[in-house]
Amino acid sequence: MTQAIDIQKATAAFKALKCKECGAEYELKASHVCEFCFGPLEVSYDYSSLRQTVTRESIQAGPNSMWRYRKFLPVASENPIDVGTGMTPLVRSQRLARRLGLNQLYIKNDAVNMPTLSFKDRVVSVALTRARELGFTTVSCASTGNLANSTAAIAAHAGLDCCVFIPADLEAGKVLGSLIYSPTLMAVKGNYDQVNRLCSEVANTHGWGFVNINLRPYYSEGSKTLGFEVAEQLGWQLPDHIVAPLASGSLFTKIYKGFNEFVEVGLVEGKPVKFSGAQAEGCSPIAQAFKEDRDFIQPVKPNTIAKSIAIGNPADGIYAVEIAKKTGGSIESVTDAEIIEGIKLLAETEGIFTETAGGTTIAVLKKLVEAGKIDPDETTVVYITGNGLKTQEAVHGYIGEPLTIEAKLDSFEGALERSRTLERLEWQQVLV
Amino acid sequence: MTQAIDIQKATAAFKALKCKECGAEYELKASHVCEFCFGPLEVSYDYSSLRQTVTRESIQAGPNSMWRYRKFLPVASENPIDVGTGMTPLVRSQRLARRLGLNQLYIKNDAVNMPTLSFKDRVVSVALTRARELGFTTVSCASTGNLANSTAAIAAHAGLDCCVFIPADLEAGKVLGSLIYSPTLMAVKGNYDQVNRLCSEVANTHGWGFVNINLRPYYSEGSKTLGFEVAEQLGWQLPDHIVAPLASGSLFTKIYKGFNEFVEVGLVEGKPVKFSGAQAEGCSPIAQAFKEDRDFIQPVKPNTIAKSIAIGNPADGIYAVEIAKKTGGSIESVTDAEIIEGIKLLAETEGIFTETAGGTTIAVLKKLVEAGKIDPDETTVVYITGNGLKTQEAVHGYIGEPLTIEAKLDSFEGALERSRTLERLEWQQVLV
């Protein structure tokens, strides 16, 4: 590893790594844990300089990607790795909203994020830009699938060597969705938390840039753009309520940070925003801590189809609990059956096919509405973070079959008649 | 079917359906074939009114979707079905460009198009908006997969009944990618051309809106936005050369129409643009007509892994040949092995995972460069029209396997060493 020279421009707004627990400050190197108290490090900024240099107009004049918010991100380079990531659609929901009885529901759809169809492309774009600035030539990650896809793809684009680690039992689409970019792909016999521990050891011995370990403070900042974009797409306003999936808890805390930064520098008006989080019942350590009003996370062994959010020992879990509490939000969990129903509900009402994490979020949204925890008139944003084509196994057997016919009109007419009869019978059963 | 009232606003610029062969004009109804000469109908516009009302600024002030070009599209409604389709990234290629020896290569990436990850979302958005204006309550299509995905998804969003037809032997991802939206899905034992013939019969008997049959003149106009966006994203300039896949030939002719419309109304300066097209050798009736300098298409029976472009009797094939000829472009075909190499090449150099159609286009791009048919300094745009997660079968067995390891450092070190040795051996073989 060669150390690049200019890792901190005097004109950039990011100033230090700062311990979230004790406040100790560190140089802007590849480091993620406080030497004094072992708390997590976070990037801090000079907001007064941002207030003077950033306007709505200067952002809008930037690229049609997450890099229009470059000044809020911890990179020194004026030419970050921009593959068109971000600026995904914020869809005003009609049919799902009606089905749930909501009047102001929006769907932020990172299932079509560039290049690998999940929000991970945001954090990886920042991490690899920073990795290059810090002189890393090999990048790596511990992943439940989406992160491996994204790291492998963006490393390929940037010409960085890449070695990614996944649990060996991942969905086929996620394995192939990494292999296609020709990284070294390590399939570890174990769950994500075991993969993560192994990667911490490798990070210490190999001098690689692990996007979610030694580069984690930079990496995680990328998720702020999911806050920035929603605020800009709502016409420079914050929503009243957001619902997002919880894996490590990082995404959730960074949307919160993003909203607060926009208020801090005067880009939007401050107002209360409720933060609600979604977990799968088979891996819900954050939801459990929230329900039991604990200030620590009890690690669990994951057992759910929602593999992309199956983190049993979530690094930022306790910060997510804090945010949900102080904003008046909730953290809920749903069963695997509810997750599948959530995937189908979003597809049938909005034409958006999400993976299990998105199914979890929609199912929790429904649960919160039914429990009266979301007011029908609140401007509510639900975050869809990944694409259903990567977890096809999850819905096999739950979505029916095609009607196979001959290429003849009477064969078609017969099949159509049979399917309509079936539909009528199903309706009669519903009515009985 | 109830006839909607206001199917043609006086202020809209689209004026008539016009036969591409004999010029006969028709009302703006659901119709696609000339009653006199059986030529295809196309939408005609009042360009002088567009010249007076549309500016670069008025377009940029529109939504961040293909609907910023609404005035160039054949819909009367001011509230079209906008699910965030279009405005996909135009990526300046670095590593693929270097590999091919090109200096100005751009990739238009509809593999991340919203909602169903192919350019078909553009044409379907127009077709279903128009279907609603014409009073249709059931929409349908004959599809090689992507179109069925898109029709089912956008119909779900719009709350229209939907019945889609596909060949029974499609890739699993494309079948599931329709079923998830709960349409009626007819899997026809036969190839696309047989499916298409059956659908023409159904269109005549059922009064449904078939997006690519009786709504085809409206539908196909949606592809113009792939021309508009590239021109805007290049800074209101046309490229020197484009390379696009050819299935029915419609996409190709509409990019051409889009460029010409922008010149006609003064949004960009006119200049020569070469149009080159890509087909799979196993279904290359358009490439064959081009090579043999014929003015008719000889239908073929498709036999290729590139199923999404496997149309043996392409409706707009001969117009594609004309455009390639008069612009100085080429039409080439590549083998299935070259298609797989094309998919891998794009993934490994740019981090973009495309389906077989995109692999075809990249392989043809490479072939044209090697044949000296693309000048290294030409601004060249290659159109990637669909996502690789839908055709995973195509690359199975060609992209290696993960290295399976225990969650222990020495297991990792051993696997890494073995993979590096293997790499060295492979390199030595290359050098020998």
Side-chain angles (χ1 to χ4, degrees), chain A residues 64 82-84 87 89 91-92 94-95 109 111-117 153-159 163 165-166 168 172-173 175-177 179-182 184-190 194-195 198 201-202 205-206 208 343-344 347-353 387-390 392 395-396 399-409 412-413 415-416 419-420 423, chain B residues 64 82-84 87 89 91-92 94-95 109 111-117 153-159 163 165-166 168 172-173 175-177 179-182 184-190 194-195 198 201-202 205-206 208 343-344 347-353 387-390 392 395-396 399-409 412-413 415-416 419-420 423:
Chain A
N64 191 34
D82 184 358
V83 295
M87 287 306 277
V91 182
R92 174 75 187 266
Q94 302 292 342
R95 297 187 67 228
N109 187 16
V112 294
N113 202 12
M114 166 92 182
T116 67
L117 312 176
I154 300 179
H157 178 91
C163 177
F165 295 74
I166 54 172
V175 177
L176 187 140
L179 280 176
I180 193 70
Y181 308 108
S182 287
T184 302
L185 178 60
M186 297 281 172
V188 182
K189 290 183 194 162
Q194 292 169 295
V195 175
L198 172 62
E201 291 185 70
V202 177
T205 53
H206 276 258
W208 293 351
I343 293 173
K344 287 171 64 180
E348 291 170 12
T349 55
E350 295 293 341
I352 294 173
F353 182 19
N387 198 291
L389 286 170
K390 294 192 195 180
Q392 300 181 28
V395 293
H396 267 150
I399 50 168
E401 294 283 329
L403 306 168
T404 303
I405 61 172
E406 306 291 325
K408 287 175 183 158
L409 197 55
F412 158 72
E413 299 287 2
L416 186 68
S419 86
R420 283 178 173 166
E423 248 174 52
Chain B
N64 191 34
D82 184 357
V83 294
M87 286 306 277
V91 182
R92 174 75 187 266
Q94 302 292 342
R95 297 187 69 227
N109 188 16
V112 294
N113 202 12
M114 166 93 182
T116 68
L117 311 176
I154 300 178
H157 177 92
C163 178
F165 295 75
I166 54 172
V175 176
L176 186 141
L179 279 177
I180 193 69
Y181 308 107
S182 287
T184 303
L185 177 60
M186 297 281 172
V188 182
K189 291 182 194 161
Q194 292 169 297
V195 175
L198 171 63
E201 290 184 71
V202 177
T205 53
H206 277 258
W208 292 352
I343 293 174
K344 288 171 65 181
E348 291 169 12
T349 55
E350 296 292 341
I352 294 172
F353 182 19
N387 198 290
L389 286 170
K390 294 191 196 180
Q392 299 181 29
V395 293
H396 266 151
I399 51 168
E401 293 283 331
L403 305 168
T404 303
I405 61 173
E406 305 292 326
K408 288 176 182 157
L409 197 56
F412 158 70
E413 298 288 2
L416 187 67
S419 88
R420 283 179 173 164
E423 246 174 53

Side-chain angles (χ1 to χ4, degrees), chain B residues 194-328:
Chain B
Q194 292 169 297
V195 175
N196 197 27
R197 271 196 299 276
L198 171 63
C199 287
S200 293
E201 290 184 71
V202 177
N204 287 333
T205 53
H206 277 258
W208 292 352
F210 275 80
V211 300
N212 57 342
I213 300 177
N214 50 354
L215 294 167
R216 188 175 183 85
Y218 308 103
Y219 157 93
S220 56
E221 292 287 292
S223 291
K224 292 190 307 190
T225 60
L226 272 172
F228 298 153
E229 286 179 19
V230 160
E232 181 177 347
Q233 289 171 322
L234 286 174
W236 301 100
Q237 285 188 348
L238 300 184
D240 298 314
H241 205 141
I242 71 111
V243 184
L246 294 169
S248 74
S250 170
L251 167 71
F252 198 75
T253 65
K254 294 297 178 172
I255 295 172
Y256 181 79
K257 188 177 181 188
F259 285 165
N260 282 315
E261 287 183 342
F262 262 26
V263 173
E264 173 75 28
V265 303
L267 287 166
V268 300
E269 248 181 76
K271 65 177 250 195
V273 183
K274 290 180 196 150
F275 273 66
S276 289
Q279 292 213 290
E281 219 169 89
C283 182
S284 53
I286 308 178
Q288 285 165 25
F290 179 84
K291 276 177 209 166
E292 293 165 17
D293 207 10
R294 279 192 264 111
D295 63 354
F296 63 96
I297 298 288
Q298 183 79 50
V300 301
K301 216 166 171 185
N303 180 21
T304 168
I305 57 167
K307 296 183 185 181
S308 68
I309 51 172
I311 298 184
N313 189 13
D316 293 291
I318 208 60
Y319 300 115
V321 171
E322 271 176 24
I323 289 170
K325 285 219 175 119
K326 77 177 162 200
T327 61

Side-chain angles (χ1 to χ4, degrees), chain A residues 420 423, chain B residues 128 136-140 151 155-156 158-163 183-184 209:
Chain A
R420 283 178 173 166
E423 248 174 52
Chain B
L128 297 199
F136 289 102
T137 55
T138 299
V139 293
S140 189
T151 302
L160 292 160
D161 285 333
C162 179
C163 178
T184 303

Side-chain angles (χ1 to χ4, degrees), chain A residues 87-147:
Chain A
M87 287 306 277
T88 53
L90 181 72
V91 182
R92 174 75 187 266
S93 165
Q94 302 292 342
R95 297 187 67 228
L96 177 61
R98 261 203 306 278
R99 192 80 75 89
L100 297 176
L102 295 178
N103 300 321
Q104 305 279 341
L105 177 65
Y106 292 84
I107 302 162
K108 178 64 174 171
N109 187 16
D110 262 20
V112 294
N113 202 12
M114 166 92 182
T116 67
L117 312 176
S118 89
F119 87 98
K120 293 291 185 185
D121 293 327
R122 300 173 182 272
V123 285
V124 171
S125 292
V126 175
L128 298 199
T129 298
R130 189 62 186 158
R132 210 168 53 176
E133 291 174 3
L134 293 171
F136 290 102
T137 55
T138 299
V139 292
S140 189
C141 67
S143 170
T144 55
N146 280 325
L147 180 57

Side-chain angles (χ1 to χ4, degrees), chain A residues 289-310:
Chain A
F290 178 85
K291 275 176 210 167
E292 294 165 15
D293 206 11
R294 279 193 266 112
D295 62 356
F296 63 95
I297 298 289
Q298 183 80 51
V300 301
K301 215 165 169 183
N303 179 20
T304 168
I305 57 166
K307 296 183 184 181
S308 68
I309 52 172

Side-chain angles (χ1 to χ4, degrees), chain B residues 9-49:
Chain B
K9 270 211 171 156
T11 55
F14 69 120
K15 291 300 171 197
L17 295 182
K18 194 171 172 182
C19 175
K20 270 185 100 159
E21 292 297 328
C22 76
E25 292 203 355
Y26 297 87
E27 270 188 89
L28 290 157
K29 299 245 174 98
S31 170
H32 68 303
V33 179
C34 178
E35 289 168 18
F36 300 107
C37 75
F38 303 105
L41 304 185
E42 189 171 49
V43 179
S44 67
Y45 297 81
D46 175 357
Y47 293 116
S48 65
S49 97

